């Protein structure tokens, strides 16, 4: 009976195993689900008669014993099955624990490295900040050095400017002043030193202009003797030409009038006299400086006024018309000749500075004043034939000299005709 119960229980276990297998493959076919259910129903159908038989024969105790034995065998099989994989499980757990330990160590190392990296990063950040600060300081120092160098260069140029003026190197001084204004002023204008220099620039310009103008006026004053020498030399040359003209006229059998213009043309072939040279450098230098300073118009007016004053001074010199006192009048004529020869040279070399109309107006003024001097002494001149003859020679030579240098002498000729009846 016990064996029968045991066999039936074994069949139920096998049937339950088949039920599990069928359930696991339920999705393999269309009827998989219904097959699993029918198998379970079959197992329940077989279990029912078994339990009924046990109770009918009053073998409940034996049935429980067989069930317990059956369960023990199954437990033994399970323990055996687990025992075969236990070592691998233990090894896996040991490896897992080792990995966990290694992971903890690695984590500690990572934390330590992170702390070291944070510390190094902080030190690097501090060094970088210090380096940036040093670079800023270096740039500021370099900028300060450059600024100081610029200021020193400006001071040096200002000192050079003063020295150049004191040594009369005016062309160099105007270049130095131009460099200060155009190159260095924009660099130092934002500093107090630059603002001081900027207010000094007009004073420096005035200083340069005044120095050049002073030299030019000294030159004009020195021309007083030069112009007289020029007038004297040109008068002597013209007297020689007049003698040559007289000899030329006496050799001509048929007497006819030869104008002075024709005589000048005839003399060109034989005229080997050295040209009159006048040092105009102070004037040109002063003109150049005033142009650079933008004061050309002012200088032109000042120069015209000075020349007018000089001519007035020449024409207000005391003259006398006694035979023994005609030398001052002759010197006056020499001064006038030299004066207008200088004007002629200025007009030829700088026509945009001294115009022909300005010179012609000055010439007309000079002739008018000269005529006035003669007119005031006309009775004395006509009353002394010797004085009249000498004066006529002086005025004739004077007229030829001025005509040769392209001045209009028609009013002079009219004056001579009025006085001497020529």
């Amino acid at each position: 009976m016990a064996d029968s119960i045991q066999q039936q229980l074994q069949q139920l276990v096998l049937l339950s195993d088949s039920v599990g297998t069928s359930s696991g493959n339920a999705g393999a076919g269309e009827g998989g689900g219904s097959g699993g259910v029918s198998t379970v129903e079959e197992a329940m159908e077989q279990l029912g008669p078994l339990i009924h038989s046990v109770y009918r024969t009053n073998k409940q105790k034996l049935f429980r014993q067989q069930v317990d034995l059956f369960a023990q065998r199954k437990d033994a099989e399970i323990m055996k099955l687990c025992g075969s994989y236990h070592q691998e499980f233990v090894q896996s757990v040991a490896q897992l624990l080792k990995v966990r330990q290694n992971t903890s160590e690695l984590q500690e190392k990572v934390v330590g490295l992170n702390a070291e990296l944070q510390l190094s990063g902080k030190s690097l950040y501090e060094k970088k900040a210090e380096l940036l600060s040093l670079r800023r300081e270096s740039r500021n120092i370099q900028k300060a050095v450059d600024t100081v160098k610029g200021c020193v260069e400006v001071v040096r140029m200002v000192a050079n400017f003063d020295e150049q003026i004191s040594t009369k190197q005016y062309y160099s001084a105007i270049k130095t002043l131009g460099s200060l204004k155009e190159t260095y002023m924009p660099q130092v204008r934002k500093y107090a030193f630059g603002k001081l220099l900027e207010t000094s620039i007009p004073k420096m310009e005035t200083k340069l202009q005044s120095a050049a103008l002073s030299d030019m006026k000294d030159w004009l004053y020195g021309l007083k003797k030069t112009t007289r020498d020029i007038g004297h030399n040109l008068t002597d040359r013209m007297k020689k030409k007049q003698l040559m003209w007289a000899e030329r006229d006496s050799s001509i059998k048929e007497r006819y009038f030869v104008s002075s213009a024709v005589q000048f043309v005839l003399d060109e072939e034989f005229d080997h006299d050295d040209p009159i040279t006048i040092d105009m450098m102070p004037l040109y230098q002063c003109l150049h400086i005033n142009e650079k300073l933008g004061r050309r118009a002012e200088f032109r007016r000042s120069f015209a006024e000075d020349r007018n004053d000089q001519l007035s001074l020449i024409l207000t010199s005391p003259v006398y018309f006694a035979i023994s006192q005609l030398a001052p009048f002759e010197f006056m004529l020499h001064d006038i000749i030299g004066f207008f020869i200088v004007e002629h040279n200025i007009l030829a070399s700088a026509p945009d500075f001294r115009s022909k109309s300005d010179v012609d107006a000055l010439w007309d003024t000079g002739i008018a004043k000269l005529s006035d001097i003669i007119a005031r002494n006309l009775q004395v001149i006509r009353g002394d034939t010797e004085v009249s003859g000498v004066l006529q020679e002086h005025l004739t030579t004077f007229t030829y000299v001025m005509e040769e240098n392209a001045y209009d002498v028609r009013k002079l000729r009219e004056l001579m005709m009025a006085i001497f009846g020529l």
Side-chain angles (χ1 to χ4, degrees), residues 97-333:
L97 290 174
K98 187 176 180 179
V99 168
R100 181 180 180 185
Q101 183 180 0
N102 291 338
T103 302
S104 299
E105 293 176 356
L106 182 61
Q107 184 177 5
E108 290 177 0
K109 289 182 179 180
V110 170
V111 171
L113 289 173
N114 181 58
E116 292 178 3
L117 182 62
Q118 291 291 335
L119 184 61
S120 299
K122 182 179 180 181
S123 176
L124 179 62
Y125 173 79
E126 292 174 352
K127 294 293 184 183
K128 182 68 175 179
E130 184 179 356
L131 179 61
L132 291 175
S133 177
L134 290 175
R135 283 182 178 176
R136 283 193 297 269
E137 291 177 3
S138 177
R139 285 196 299 269
N140 291 337
I141 292 172
Q142 187 61 44
K143 186 176 180 181
V145 169
D146 293 340
T147 301
V148 170
K149 285 182 178 179
C151 292
V152 169
E153 181 64 16
V154 169
V155 172
R156 185 188 67 80
M157 293 184 72
V158 171
N160 286 345
F161 175 81
D162 291 336
E163 182 179 357
Q164 288 161 354
I165 289 181
S166 63
T167 55
K168 301 185 183 302
Q169 301 177 40
Y170 300 131
Y171 287 114
S172 299
I174 195 67
K175 289 181 180 179
T176 301
L177 186 60
S179 297
L180 280 173
K181 291 168 60 178
E182 298 171 7
T183 303
Y184 290 95
M185 271 305 304
Q187 300 176 9
V188 299
R189 182 177 284 114
K190 56 186 175 181
Y191 306 111
F193 171 76
K195 294 178 180 178
L196 179 62
L197 177 64
E198 190 171 18
T199 58
S200 300
I201 290 294
K203 297 178 182 178
M204 295 172 70
E205 291 178 345
T206 301
K207 183 177 181 180
L208 175 58
Q209 182 192 27
S210 299
L213 190 60
S214 176
D215 281 4
M216 194 273 295
K217 289 191 174 184
D218 289 343
W219 170 75
L220 283 178
Y221 181 79
L223 277 180
K224 183 176 182 181
K225 182 178 184 306
T226 303
T227 53
R228 179 167 295 182
D229 291 340
I230 292 171
H232 178 73
N233 291 335
L234 291 178
T235 299
D236 286 347
R237 290 183 187 182
M238 184 54 64
K239 286 179 178 179
K240 292 178 183 179
K241 289 182 181 181
Q242 286 176 286
L243 292 175
M244 186 174 61
W245 295 350
E247 292 177 1
R248 183 186 298 157
D249 290 343
S250 63
S251 64
I252 299 175
K253 293 181 180 180
E254 296 182 4
R255 304 297 296 169
Y256 57 88
F257 174 74
V258 179
S259 68
S260 57
V262 175
Q263 297 283 15
F264 292 145
V265 173
L266 294 174
D267 288 343
E268 288 180 356
E269 183 178 354
F270 307 101
D271 192 357
H272 302 296
D273 293 328
D274 294 332
I276 298 296
T277 57
I278 304 172
D279 180 19
M280 309 289 287
M281 179 58 68
L283 173 62
Y284 297 148
Q285 185 171 251
C286 194
L287 176 60
H288 174 74
I289 289 170
N290 279 274
E291 283 181 347
K292 290 296 183 180
L293 296 177
R295 303 179 181 182
R296 177 190 175 90
E298 177 186 346
F299 173 62
R300 185 180 180 188
R301 287 192 301 270
S302 175
F303 183 80
E305 291 173 0
D306 289 341
R307 293 299 282 169
N308 286 331
D309 292 342
Q310 276 195 321
L311 182 60
S312 297
L313 187 63
I314 291 172
L315 293 170
T316 54
S317 300
V319 292
Y320 307 97
F321 290 93
I323 190 63
S324 60
Q325 296 177 326
L326 284 177
F329 182 76
E330 186 178 11
F331 293 154
M332 177 185 288
L333 295 179

